[in-house]
Amino acid sequence: MAGNGTWTELIVSEQVVVLCTCALSFLGSSLIIFTYLVWSDLRTTPRKLLVYLSVSDWLSAVSYAFGVWRFFRADSLDCVVQGAVSTFANTSSFFWTVAIAVYLYVFIVRSSQRVADSMVLFFHLVSWGVPLIITVTALCLNKIGYNASEVSVGWCWVRIQAKDHILWMLLTGKIWEILAYLTLPVLYILIKRHIYKAHAALSEYRPILANRPQSQSFSSMADVKLTLIPIIFIILRIWSTVRFILLLADSRVRHNPVLVTLHGIGNTSQGAANCIMFVLFTQPIRSRLYTVLCCCCSKWRAEEQQHSSPQRPPPNSFTQREEDSSKVQTDR
């Protein structure tokens, strides 16, 4: 039970919906990692950073799914473990999301690939190290545990009975989430502005490029992605922030089933959203996946036809055995 005597009850439909989004994020993150491992020509630094983000989203999806499925009602060892994993993975996801934006800003706006690539080690230290330090500290101080779904959806997070639970909610997620809200739009607006100016400066060459619709479509898709990345992040994460603000205001609206469901969907959909933008909406990767899928389907159909065809014995094999037996008896 929460500190003020209230707690959020989950109905079965809410659990099913959130578990489905967890499954989609699990599959989406796995697909991003799979495409990176299978096709070596896709192993660019930005996509490598996307893989690190997908690892965090993969861990988040698994830990959230376990929490929603168990729907903890009290402190326990598995509650603490699940809360620690989700805290680390979720916070790491925030850092990697911002790290990708910083990398693209340095690479595109500052036009320095060398500086951008040199920042990757720093991204690792911050995006893995800071969440790990925060999570371990919270565990050592006994701050991770049963949250009564006050600012979660069935899973464990900061122990709601802790007197300083608001401070630890900020440290283990909310402060980084709010900073990402502020940082991502600014960085991507600067990137888009730089690209727009570059296109305007090359306007005299546009008649030469008029016969290259494919390059134009790729540029248009990249521009759409730059717009969607911060928008989708904010749309998915804002419901968690809204419930946190309602908790600060001690408002019972935070228990509203619609708000709780949106919170659950938003927190568990990042992996699926990244897969849609960077795999399904990326034409070269989509074409390769389609080819692989067609090959697998053709192979499966061929095997099915082979197994379904009747297994006939070799011609006249039984008759031949009878004739051989009769011949032996005749010789006797």
Side-chain angles (χ1 to χ4, degrees):
M1 187 166 290
N4 61 354
T6 64
W7 60 294
T8 303
E9 179 65 70
L10 292 184
I11 59 178
V12 175
S13 61
E14 293 172 346
Q15 289 179 280
V16 171
V17 169
V18 178
L19 284 173
C20 287
T21 57
C22 287
L24 291 175
S25 278
F26 173 86
L27 294 174
S29 300
S30 300
L31 189 57
I32 292 174
I33 298 171
F34 170 79
T35 56
Y36 179 84
L37 295 176
V38 170
W39 293 303
S40 58
D41 59 310
L42 297 178
R43 296 172 190 171
T44 60
T45 303
R47 190 156 287 273
K48 186 185 297 184
L49 298 178
L50 179 63
V51 168
Y52 299 142
L53 171 61
S54 299
V55 171
S56 298
D57 292 334
W58 190 92
L59 284 174
S60 293
V62 172
S63 61
Y64 282 148
F66 180 75
V68 174
W69 174 69
R70 285 279 281 109
F71 185 35
F72 297 101
R73 297 178 183 274
D75 275 323
S76 61
L77 178 60
D78 53 349
C79 171
V80 174
V81 172
Q82 180 271 311
V85 173
S86 62
T87 297
F88 168 78
N90 198 43
T91 308
S92 178
S93 179
F94 294 148
F95 280 102
W96 279 118
T97 302
V98 175
I100 292 173
V102 172
Y103 179 91
L104 293 176
Y105 173 80
V106 174
F107 182 78
I108 296 174
V109 179
R110 297 301 179 184
S111 302
S112 179
Q113 182 177 359
R114 183 182 61 83
V115 174
D117 289 341
S118 67
M119 297 178 68
V120 174
L121 178 60
F122 173 75
F123 292 153
H124 278 289
L125 293 175
V126 173
S127 300
W128 298 126
V130 173
L132 182 62
I133 292 172
I134 293 173
T135 304
V136 171
T137 303
L139 281 172
C140 293
L141 296 177
N142 198 30
K143 302 299 181 181
I144 302 294
Y146 177 57
N147 186 253
S149 292
E150 285 293 293
V151 196
S152 66
V153 187
W155 56 76
C156 292
W157 184 30
V158 174
R159 181 173 281 108
I160 200 65
Q161 297 290 354
K163 294 181 179 179
D164 53 352
H165 62 275
I166 297 297
L167 172 63
W168 281 99
M169 285 180 180
L170 288 169
L171 291 175
T172 57
K174 290 305 161 192
I175 188 65
W176 315 114
E177 189 175 61
I178 294 170
L179 287 175
Y181 292 155
L182 302 175
T183 305
L184 290 176
V186 172
L187 289 173
Y188 282 110
I189 287 172
L190 291 174
I191 294 171
K192 284 174 61 68
R193 183 182 177 187
H194 176 82
I195 294 174
Y196 177 79
K197 287 184 176 180
H199 285 176
L202 294 174
S203 58
E204 58 182 299
Y205 297 106
R206 285 181 182 174
I208 301 176
L209 301 175
N211 295 324
R212 300 183 63 184
Q214 188 176 13
S215 63
Q216 289 181 359
S217 64
F218 287 161
S219 177
S220 177
M221 181 56 67
D223 188 61
V224 170
K225 288 180 182 178
L226 289 174
T227 304
L228 289 179
I229 289 172
I231 293 176
I232 290 178
F233 178 85
I234 293 173
I235 289 176
L236 291 179
R237 296 289 184 171
I238 194 64
W239 312 109
S240 172
T241 306
V242 168
R243 289 193 71 202
F244 176 71
I245 294 173
L246 292 173
L247 174 66
L248 296 180
D250 195 22
S251 172
R252 290 182 174 272
V253 178
R254 69 183 182 275
H255 305 300
N256 183 278
V258 175
L259 185 58
V260 172
T261 303
L262 289 173
H263 177 188
I265 293 174
N267 268 42
T268 58
S269 296
Q270 192 66 50
N274 289 336
C275 179
I276 291 172
M277 282 193 293
F278 299 109
V279 175
L280 302 184
F281 280 3
T282 303
Q283 196 275 332
I285 302 179
R286 187 172 65 246
S287 299
R288 295 185 189 189
L289 288 175
Y290 180 76
T291 301
V292 170
L293 184 61
C294 289
C295 291
C296 292
C297 289
S298 300
K299 185 178 179 180
W300 178 77
R301 289 175 183 173
E303 292 178 352
E304 284 292 314
Q305 290 177 356
Q306 183 178 0
H307 288 302
S308 61
S309 60
Q311 300 294 329
R312 297 179 179 177
N316 299 325
S317 60
F318 182 75
T319 306
Q320 185 66 41
R321 285 197 299 270
E322 286 187 335
E323 290 177 355
D324 293 342
S325 178
S326 299
K327 185 176 180 181
V328 170
Q329 292 178 359
T330 303
D331 291 341
R332 290 180 180 177

